Amino acid sequence: MKDVVSRCPIEETMRVLSGRWPTLLLYYLKDGTKRFSELRRDNPTVSHRILALELRKLEDAGIVRRTAHQGYPLRVDYDLTEPGRRLVPLIDALGAWWVHTQDDRTGGSEANLETAA
Amino acid sequence: MKDVVSRCPIEETMRVLSGRWPTLLLYYLKDGTKRFSELRRDNPTVSHRILALELRKLEDAGIVRRTAHQGYPLRVDYDLTEPGRRLVPLIDALGAWWVHTQDDRTGGSEANLETAA
DNA sequence: TGTAAATTACGCACTATTCTGTAACCACGC
DNA sequence: GCGTGGTTACAGAATAGTGCGTAATTTACA
């Protein structure tokens, strides 16, 4: 459960996307470039340590690109890579699945789809 | 961070699918009905406690249906519900995304798509 | 003019919480 | 006693949060 490299692509993908933060960060980054502090403001419940760790994980996975500008009060930009952008609609589809499923349970006939755009 | 019901459907979906086992179980169940012990054999690295917990989680989420036959040496069947079956192609798409992404890194021009059907 | 404070993006150490695994046990019918 | 599906009790591992420190520079203020 440590360095087991599975050959299963789904397992590999879930290794990166599992947890609360990865998909949320994808969600906030799909609008464009964000700075570290902006991402913290977007989501105040994540600690800075975890945010840094998660961003690094996404960077290692090739989903997010980190751009550090050397300068005075320090400044780092994050944005999605091409693979990262390709991931966005898939994650949106998962959200739509959830909405659809809840809809089946609570409502019934009248669809009240709120498919994330 | 305990019983916080988020309004974000993606977060809700990931709450169920996060971790190693949910997507794997979906994968094994997409072929049809399986018994508890079959799922253990399919995936020997999961402990039976965790398997029971994960199956219950998926059942609560409405993804898996549990059918207990009362009888001699006890027998329980698991299979996917309708929402569960709708989830399968989305998960396959995540796998395909991974394959594609790895392909971009190692290979380059010639696409070697293995989009799971 | 000197000093303190704020800013930004973290790293490190420590703690708290959560997850996962092991082992034992239950019920049942044979 | 065996095998089935499942639960509980406890232990260890993984994950998450808190708070302090750092770098360089600007601002706050007496």
Side-chain angles (χ1 to χ4, degrees):
Chain A
M1 221 142 303
K2 205 147 293 183
D3 46 1
V4 180
V5 179
S6 84
R7 340 88 210 112
C8 172
I10 296 170
E11 228 178 314
E12 289 303 318
T13 306
M14 291 311 292
R15 198 193 302 282
V16 178
L17 296 186
S18 276
R20 289 182 63 186
W21 311 120
T23 50
L24 267 191
L25 295 180
L26 267 286
Y27 178 81
Y28 286 120
L29 284 172
K30 74 178 178 177
D31 297 330
T33 300
K34 288 277 177 89
R35 298 180 37 199
F36 188 86
S37 50
E38 289 181 289
L39 288 169
R40 289 218 63 191
R41 269 187 289 276
D42 283 338
N43 199 102
T45 58
V46 68
S47 68
H48 74 254
R49 192 178 90 92
I50 296 301
L51 180 57
L53 288 174
E54 294 290 332
L55 284 170
R56 183 167 298 277
K57 200 174 71 172
L58 292 175
E59 193 195 351
D60 291 345
I63 293 171
V64 157
R65 183 179 49 179
R66 200 184 97 107
T67 312
H69 314 266
Q70 68 271 58
Y72 336 110
L74 208 53
R75 182 198 165 92
V76 182
D77 285 338
Y78 292 94
D79 63 346
L80 296 182
T81 61
E82 227 290 279
R85 279 192 295 276
R86 278 203 310 268
L87 204 46
V88 169
L90 303 185
I91 290 173
D92 282 340
L94 289 176
W97 169 86
W98 175 267
V99 172
H100 186 181
T101 301
Q102 291 309 102
D103 205 59
D104 279 358
R105 287 183 168 179
T106 60
S109 44
E110 295 146 295
N112 175 28
L113 297 185
E114 294 179 23
T115 311
Chain B
M1 225 141 299
K2 205 146 295 184
D3 48 0
V4 180
V5 179
S6 83
R7 343 85 208 112
C8 173
I10 296 171
E11 228 178 313
E12 290 303 318
T13 306
M14 290 311 292
R15 201 194 300 280
V16 179
L17 295 185
S18 276
R20 288 184 64 186
W21 310 121
T23 50
L24 268 190
L25 295 180
L26 268 285
Y27 178 82
Y28 287 120
L29 284 172
K30 73 178 178 177
D31 297 331
T33 300
K34 288 275 176 89
R35 297 179 39 196
F36 188 86
S37 50
E38 288 181 288
L39 288 169
R40 287 217 65 191
R41 268 187 289 275
D42 283 338
N43 199 100
T45 59
V46 68
S47 68
H48 85 217
R49 191 179 92 94
I50 295 299
L51 181 56
L53 289 174
E54 293 290 333
L55 284 170
R56 179 170 299 279
K57 200 174 71 173
L58 293 174
E59 192 193 353
D60 291 345
I63 293 172
V64 157
R65 182 180 49 178
R66 201 184 95 106
T67 313
H69 315 265
Q70 67 272 58
Y72 342 110
L74 210 51
R75 181 200 166 94
V76 181
D77 285 338
Y78 292 94
D79 63 345
L80 296 182
T81 62
E82 227 289 278
R85 278 193 296 277
R86 278 202 312 267
L87 204 46
V88 169
L90 303 184
I91 290 173
D92 283 341
L94 289 175
W97 169 87
W98 175 267
V99 171
H100 187 181
T101 301
Q102 292 309 103
D103 205 59
D104 280 357
R105 287 183 168 180
T106 60
S109 46
E110 294 146 296
N112 175 28
L113 297 186
E114 295 179 23
T115 311

